[in-house]
């Protein structure tokens, strides 16, 4: 028997401590070849490279391979190219194949000539192409292989026709059920694997910033449901704690509810998986709400993503999302809030036609419609095969683009990173010149810090709900004009970071002091405020600003309401070193009004004497590092920055409109009712 041809597979994913993603893409290529290649017995598939490792280590693992296939995206393409170049140095005869979304469909010749270490570039779906490449490997004749581009031996650019899409998913075997990953799992028992799961393929939308719908031509094909159930059992039997579903629009299909039922049943029976992350469909149906309710009840998800991106009609038209009305997201927000399901909203900046004014109005509109858990402000990054990857599109909308290193949010400050990946960030457009982009970016960080990191959420919600002050006016007051020292320092920190990104710096802030990771600017600002004992100064300055704003807008009888809201918010911020529960008495039912707004069930303001118990002992943190990790980092999407609070006593007094107590009366009561030890008698 002759020696088998060794096939190397490389899909470099991000990893977090001991957690690594299963290399699904190269796994499914191997599974397809093993089923469909007549001469598959001639090949030996090496254990895939699945995470970032030193180049020399990767080369050593691949040195015996005669062909190496790389699955590439923006987070791994440079390291993949570096490994391929090093392989070519020790073995010029090795065939290197590059596929994935990072391989440009526009001008592939330029890509191949810039990277001579790439022998073959694959376009579109890879299963059939990979199988055909292996079938023609011995002859090294590629003219009969579809969806390829290459530079031939005479230096000429060659390209074959794109293969038709797979329309019957039964053609593609499951890598899980075919046992593809078993050797890799056995070789790495120390790793906690994160599953990547594809129950259907395709996207019916053609958003201009995304390459998904444009590459799949709007068609969605689904794997057989019984096979999907078997895959769910595989995850549970292999104790996969976290599954990331790669479907572009989960809940688009009625059967997705049955898939969630299966996963929830498996979790109840086996304990696995712990969580299931899905990317929600853009148009919500009754199936969607039933899925989210079931996932919440089973403890499978941390929240539902509402991929809004923008609410500005000219922008939605420019990015080809006008078929997804903003009203759909408003209704979804209201219904999910009523169902007590947490959501977070994705917003991209700067998108075409979006101005500073339209952006901040859109954020205020989204908050007024009930989004108080989290808005994720994402910088626009250009993907090569998206509509925005077209240079003509970029010229039409005046894209101002900078190249920056890619840094993972909360990623480690790795000193041994072999190759830094790059991304092309948009930091300005015709409608939002760079100076306006800086203002917009500062507004986003300030909004995150004050509202979604919960530092001022209670007074901001009450000022909007009770006095009709817009969220835009409230938040802009902390971004413009003369500011007192602490707030001015925060604004300057955000401004400096935005300017640095515009000059090519990374998106996040490095901190050796705080867990040695990369932090979003708002989270690092919050850590510093709390750990440096500056919260009291912050709240005093915030009170000064908000009082001034209410006076300027002609609002009366706000004093005690505002002070109650600020004081309660300050006491609720989670901090380490809180040994006792806290009992707080307020002159208004502040907590009840605030929670009513968040839950879409408004409650009228009452005055009297309201006792609140703040649970500061149910969860504690021994030091600032533990607090930074568990509260600020892990609470990112859930906004879990406030202690639990319950109303223990209510002594309501007659209400004659929104009229607060005399300041002297409130100050006297306040001095008596703030007690760290609830068992200590009141003075």
């Amino acid at each position: 028997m002759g020696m088998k041809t060794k096939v190397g597979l490389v899909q470099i994913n991000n990893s977090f401590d001991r957690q690594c993603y299963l290399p699904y893409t190269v796994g499914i290529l191997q599974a397809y070849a093993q089923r469909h290649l007549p001469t598959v017995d001639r090949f030996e598939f090496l254990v895939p490279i699945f995470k970032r490792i030193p180049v020399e280590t990767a080369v050593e693992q691949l040195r015996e391979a005669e062909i190496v296939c790389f699955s590439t995206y923006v987070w791994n393409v440079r390291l993949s190219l570096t490994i391929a170049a090093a392989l070519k140095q020790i073995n010029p005869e090795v065939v290197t194949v590059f596929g994935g979304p990072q391989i440009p469909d526009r001008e592939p010749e330029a890509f191949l000539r810039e990277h001579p270490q790439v022998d073959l570039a694959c376009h579109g779906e890879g299963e059939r192409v990979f199988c055909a490449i292996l079938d023609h490997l011995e002859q090294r004749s590629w003219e009969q292989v579809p969806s390829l581009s290459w530079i031939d031996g005479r230096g000429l650019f060659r390209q074959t026709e794109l293969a038709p899409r797979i329309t019957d998913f039964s053609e593609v075997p499951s890598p899980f059920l075919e046992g593809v990953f078993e050797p890799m799992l056995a070789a790495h028992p120390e790793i906690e694997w994160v599953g990547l799961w594809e129950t259907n393929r395709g996207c019916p939308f053609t958003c201009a910033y995304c390459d998904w719908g444009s590459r799949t031509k709007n068609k969605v094909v689904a794997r057989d449901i019984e096979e999907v159930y078997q895959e769910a059992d595989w995850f549970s039997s292999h104790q996969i704690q976290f599954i990331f579903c790669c479907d572009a629009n989960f809940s688009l299909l009625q059967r997705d509810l049955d898939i969630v039922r299966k996963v929830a049943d498996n979790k109840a029976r086996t304990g696995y998986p712990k969580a299931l992350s899905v990317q929600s469909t853009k148009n919500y149906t009754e199936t969607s709400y039933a899925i989210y309710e079931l996932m919440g009840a089973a403890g499978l998800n941390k929240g539902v993503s509402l991929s809004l991106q923008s609410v500005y009609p000219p922008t939605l038209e420019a990015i080809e999302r006008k078929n997804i009305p903003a009203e759909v997201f408003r209704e979804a927000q209201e219904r999910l809030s009523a169902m007590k399901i947490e959501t977070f909203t994705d917003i991209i900046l700067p998108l075409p036609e979006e101005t500073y004014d339209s952006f901040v109005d859109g954020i205020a509109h989204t908050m007024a419609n009930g989004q108080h858990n989290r808005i994720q402000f994402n910088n626009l990054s250009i993907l090569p095969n998206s509509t925005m990857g077209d240079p003509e599109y970029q010229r039409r909308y005046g894209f101002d683009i900078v190249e920056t290193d890619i840094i993972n949010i909360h990623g480690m400050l790795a000193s041994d990173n072999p190759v830094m990946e790059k991304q092309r960030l948009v930091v300005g457009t015709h409608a939002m010149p760079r100076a306006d982009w800086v203002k917009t970016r500062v507004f986003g960080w300030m909004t995150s810090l004050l509202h979604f990191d919960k530092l001022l959420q209670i007074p901001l919600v009450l000022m909007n709900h009770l006095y009709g002050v817009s969220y835009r006016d409230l938040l802009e007051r902390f971004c413009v004009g003369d500011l007192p020292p602490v707030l001015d320092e925060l604004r300057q920190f955000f401004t400096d970071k935005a300017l640095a990104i515009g000059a090519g710096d990374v998106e996040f802030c490095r901190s050796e002091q705080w867990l040695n990771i990369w932090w979003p600017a708002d989270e690092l600002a919050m850590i510093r405020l709390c750990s440096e004992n500056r919260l009291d100064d912050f709240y005093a300055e915030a009170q000064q600003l908000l009082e001034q704003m209410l006076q300027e807008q002609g609002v009366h009888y706000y004093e005690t309401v505002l002070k109650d809201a600020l004081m309660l918010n300050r006491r609720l911020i989670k901090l380490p070193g809180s040994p006792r529960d806290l009992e707080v008495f307020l002159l208004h039912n502040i907590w009840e009004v605030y929670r009513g707004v968040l839950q879409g069930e408004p409650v009228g303001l009452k005055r009297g004497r309201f006792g609140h118990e703040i649970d500061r002992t149910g969860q504690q943190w021994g030091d600032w590092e533990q607090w930074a990790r568990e509260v600020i980092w892990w609470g990112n999407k859930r906004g879990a920055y406030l202690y639990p609070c319950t109303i223990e006593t209510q002594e309501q007094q007659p209400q004659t409109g929104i009229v607060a107590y005399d300041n002297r009366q409130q100050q006297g009561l306040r001095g008596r009712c703030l007690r760290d030890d609830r068992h200590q008698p009141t003075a």
Side-chain angles (χ1 to χ4, degrees), residues 276-312:
L276 171 66
S277 176
V278 300
Q279 300 170 99
S280 308
T281 186
K282 313 303 182 289
N283 289 324
Y284 296 85
T285 63
E286 292 305 315
T287 299
S288 305
Y289 296 114
I291 284 173
Y292 303 143
E293 186 173 30
L294 177 56
M295 290 179 69
L300 283 169
N301 69 334
K302 294 182 179 179
V304 175
S305 172
L306 303 176
S307 301
L308 193 58
Q309 314 310 357
S310 175
V311 299
Y312 189 47

Side-chain angles (χ1 to χ4, degrees), residues 26 157 267 286 316 373 409 439 544 571 574 624 632 635:
V26 295
F157 172 72
K267 179 179 180 180
E286 292 305 315
L316 295 176
N373 185 59
I409 183 173
K439 283 175 53 183
Q544 174 188 335
R571 298 297 180 184
K574 292 179 178 178
W624 284 105
I632 307 303

Side-chain angles (χ1 to χ4, degrees), residues 186-464:
H188 297 281
E190 77 284 359
I191 289 178
E192 298 175 1
W193 295 100
V194 177
L196 296 174
W197 199 15
E198 185 184 33
T199 76
N200 68 60
R201 181 180 295 183
C203 180
F205 303 102
T206 56
C207 307
Y209 51 82
C210 179
D211 60 10
W212 213 328
S214 61
R215 289 173 70 87
T216 56
K217 312 302 181 188
N218 303 338
K219 302 294 184 180
V220 176
V221 296
R223 186 175 290 284
D224 177 74
I225 190 65
E226 293 302 324
E227 201 168 32
V228 170
Y229 292 160
Q230 293 174 40
E231 290 182 325
D233 289 338
W234 187 94
F235 288 127
S236 297
S237 66
H238 288 75
Q239 298 186 348
I240 304 298
Q241 296 194 37
F242 183 89
I243 300 173
F244 182 88
C245 184
C246 303
D247 301 354
N249 294 275
F250 197 79
S251 79
L252 182 70
L253 305 179
Q254 177 72 32
R255 71 177 205 158
D256 290 344
L257 178 57
D258 296 323
I259 294 173
V260 172
R261 287 196 184 103
K262 173 63 175 176
V263 175
D265 289 345
N266 280 13
K267 179 179 180 180
R269 179 171 50 85
T270 70
Y272 296 94
K274 304 293 185 186
L276 171 66
S277 176
V278 300
Q279 300 170 99
S280 308
T281 186
K282 313 303 182 289
N283 289 324
Y284 296 85
T285 63
E286 292 305 315
T287 299
S288 305
Y289 296 114
I291 284 173
Y292 303 143
E293 186 173 30
L294 177 56
M295 290 179 69
L300 283 169
N301 69 334
K302 294 182 179 179
V304 175
S305 172
L306 303 176
S307 301
L308 193 58
Q309 314 310 357
S310 175
V311 299
Y312 189 47
T315 294
L316 295 176
E317 183 169 359
I319 64 174
E320 301 178 39
R321 280 175 67 93
K322 61 182 179 180
N323 60 329
I324 312 174
E327 290 75 14
V328 169
F329 293 95
R330 179 184 56 76
E331 179 186 351
Q333 179 67 65
E334 291 176 352
R335 287 195 60 174
L336 292 168
S337 295
M339 294 164 65
K340 308 297 189 292
I341 295 175
E342 293 178 338
T343 67
F344 50 94
T345 299
D346 287 324
I347 295 289
I348 298 177
L349 74 149
L351 289 171
E353 304 293 359
E354 192 87 75
T355 66
Y356 169 79
D357 286 323
S358 71
F359 184 89
V360 296
D361 281 342
I363 298 305
H365 175 79
T366 302
M367 293 166 64
N369 281 342
Q371 181 51 276
H372 299 290
N373 185 59
R374 174 65 64 182
I375 292 179
Q376 297 185 154
F377 297 95
N378 303 305
N379 294 313
L380 176 59
S381 178
I382 301 297
L383 300 175
N385 292 315
S386 66
T387 301
M388 288 185 181
D390 186 346
E392 177 54 37
Y393 186 100
Q394 297 166 22
R395 285 191 290 270
R396 184 187 319 152
Y397 294 106
F399 280 9
D400 182 358
I401 300 173
V402 298
E403 187 175 74
T404 73
D405 289 343
I406 295 179
I407 298 296
N408 293 323
I409 183 173
H410 303 129
M412 296 296 294
L413 302 181
S415 58
D416 59 349
N417 192 358
V419 177
M420 291 301 300
E421 303 295 340
K422 300 287 185 179
Q423 63 182 338
R424 300 177 68 220
L425 286 184
V426 180
V427 295
T429 65
H430 285 326
M432 187 185 290
R434 187 179 290 213
D436 284 355
W437 175 83
V438 170
K439 283 175 53 183
T440 307
R441 185 66 271 193
V442 170
F443 179 87
W445 280 321
M446 191 66 78
T447 299
S448 294
L449 176 67
L450 302 184
H451 197 77
F452 298 111
D453 299 345
K454 304 295 196 292
L455 275 182
L456 283 181
Q457 189 175 89
I458 296 175
L460 294 178
V461 165
L462 265 66
M463 296 304 97
N464 174 262

Side-chain angles (χ1 to χ4, degrees), residues 564-614:
D564 270 0
L566 285 163
M567 189 269 286
L568 180 60
N569 207 141
R570 167 70 176 87
R571 298 297 180 184
L572 286 171
I573 295 294
K574 292 179 178 178
L575 295 172
S578 301
R580 295 180 296 273
D581 292 340
L582 182 66
E583 190 172 16
V584 175
F585 291 90
L586 303 178
L587 297 173
H588 305 85
N589 59 331
I590 297 297
W591 181 251
E592 187 181 26
V593 174
Y594 164 69
R595 294 301 302 170
V597 173
L598 265 58
Q599 294 169 3
E601 301 170 352
V603 174
L605 183 71
K606 304 170 187 175
R607 67 178 185 177
R609 188 172 186 269
F610 299 89
H612 299 71
E613 182 161 328
I614 299 175

